[in-house]
Amino acid sequence: VNVAGVALGGIDVQYERGDFYPGVAEFMLEISRYGLSSEDRFSPPKVAILTARAEEFKAALEIKQDSKLAVAMREAGERVGISNWGVGPVLYGSVAEWVVQFRKGLRKFTNFERLLRQDPTGMIIQYVYVGDVGELDQEAGETMLREYPEVVKAVFLHVVSDQRSPPPMIPPPKIINGRPLVFFRTYVGAAVDAVRLGFMDLDGLETVVEAATKKLASVPRSSDKWYDMERDIARADILLQAGS
């Protein structure tokens, strides 16, 4: 979406707007339930959404429980026997942040602080922040790690681009306050990094790989989507074979 030369939506051209990235819902689910007891794994925390979408336009832009995103995440839970999992609290921005791009990162961070007030000690809830490099999520994520390393365990940033060629470079990971910030091109790649960092198990990785592969089943193998996916599936196979 572009208004007066200002991009108001995402910048990724590899996927159509409104199309979900392969494996994204499964990645969120497996991150949410990793490390829980066998009983609690069937009631994992829902995903909080920190968005710069304007509260003033909520009637048109609200992320509802019947939205495509909420339905996709709920169905991911149902496939593994979890009912009513998916989108949790949604914290919006304002028209100012939606149009004035450099304020988006600050708004997402302040929205996180609002979320944190539910459990300021971090005794009940701890967080993994997942965003992309196109909406100042990196600024928000790095600030979270600097200010709240006791409750923010990691940041995962999806490398997106507004150009198909050349393909985007994936930056090296960072450590901020002893916490990892990693960049990924596919959610399979993110799951590989999550396993290596101790935020997902191999069963979870396998679930993400299977979901991503199924999502791309109808896409020609010549597509750049498969180029990125096959590279990360090869990385996943190394871990899966080592753990078998």
Side-chain angles (χ1 to χ4, degrees):
V1 181
N2 192 288
V3 177
V6 178
L8 300 183
I11 66 167
D12 194 15
V13 298
Q14 192 175 45
Y15 288 84
E16 295 292 331
R17 189 165 183 81
D19 189 16
F20 297 115
Y21 293 108
V24 58
E26 289 76 14
F27 174 82
M28 299 293 189
L29 175 59
E30 296 302 330
I31 286 282
S32 294
R33 66 185 194 144
Y34 177 72
L36 299 180
S37 68
S38 57
E39 181 178 348
D40 289 341
R41 281 177 66 83
F42 288 92
S43 56
K46 294 184 178 182
V47 177
I49 307 292
L50 311 181
T51 178
R53 291 185 180 192
E55 182 86 31
E56 295 90 334
F57 300 152
K58 189 175 178 180
L61 299 172
E62 184 178 7
I63 301 173
K64 301 178 181 179
Q65 289 303 316
D66 61 353
S67 69
K68 290 175 64 177
L69 172 63
V71 170
M73 297 182 77
R74 187 162 58 248
E75 289 177 347
E78 290 170 351
R79 283 191 287 272
V80 293
I82 299 173
S83 300
N84 198 34
W85 179 81
V87 174
V90 181
L91 293 88
Y92 293 89
S94 70
V95 171
E97 292 90 21
W98 207 41
V99 176
V100 183
Q101 300 288 291
F102 70 84
R103 297 175 65 169
K104 286 186 175 181
L106 176 61
R107 166 58 80 168
K108 291 175 181 179
F109 173 71
T110 57
N111 275 347
F112 173 72
E113 291 192 306
R114 289 169 56 197
L115 182 68
L116 195 59
R117 294 188 196 117
Q118 299 177 12
D119 177 35
T121 65
M123 296 295 291
I124 300 174
I125 303 174
Q126 296 189 328
Y127 300 89
V128 172
Y129 181 61
V130 183
D132 64 44
V133 299
E135 291 276 283
L136 293 179
D137 291 348
Q138 183 171 348
E139 175 187 316
E142 290 187 359
T143 305
M144 291 175 195
L145 294 178
R146 285 195 298 269
E147 299 296 327
Y148 298 104
E150 67 278 10
V151 293
V152 182
K153 312 307 288 183
V155 172
F156 288 80
L157 295 176
H158 189 186
V159 177
V160 298
S161 175
D162 59 357
Q163 299 179 4
R164 287 191 176 275
S165 182
M169 298 293 294
I170 301 177
K174 296 183 177 183
I175 297 293
I176 298 176
N177 261 352
R179 301 298 188 195
L181 184 153
V182 297
F183 300 88
F184 63 92
R185 185 61 174 148
T186 76
Y187 277 89
V188 170
V192 169
D193 291 331
V195 170
R196 288 176 170 168
L197 291 168
F199 298 113
M200 186 182 296
D201 58 27
L202 290 176
D203 288 340
L205 172 59
E206 191 167 16
T207 297
V208 176
V209 172
E210 290 175 354
T213 302
K214 183 177 180 180
K215 171 76 172 178
L216 289 185
S218 62
V219 175
R221 289 281 175 163
S222 58
S223 169
D224 60 346
K225 296 176 183 179
W226 271 114
Y227 173 81
D228 292 327
M229 188 63 68
E230 287 175 338
R231 179 187 57 203
D232 284 335
I233 288 175
R235 296 173 59 215
D237 285 343
I238 294 172
L239 292 182
L240 294 170
Q241 291 169 11
S244 62

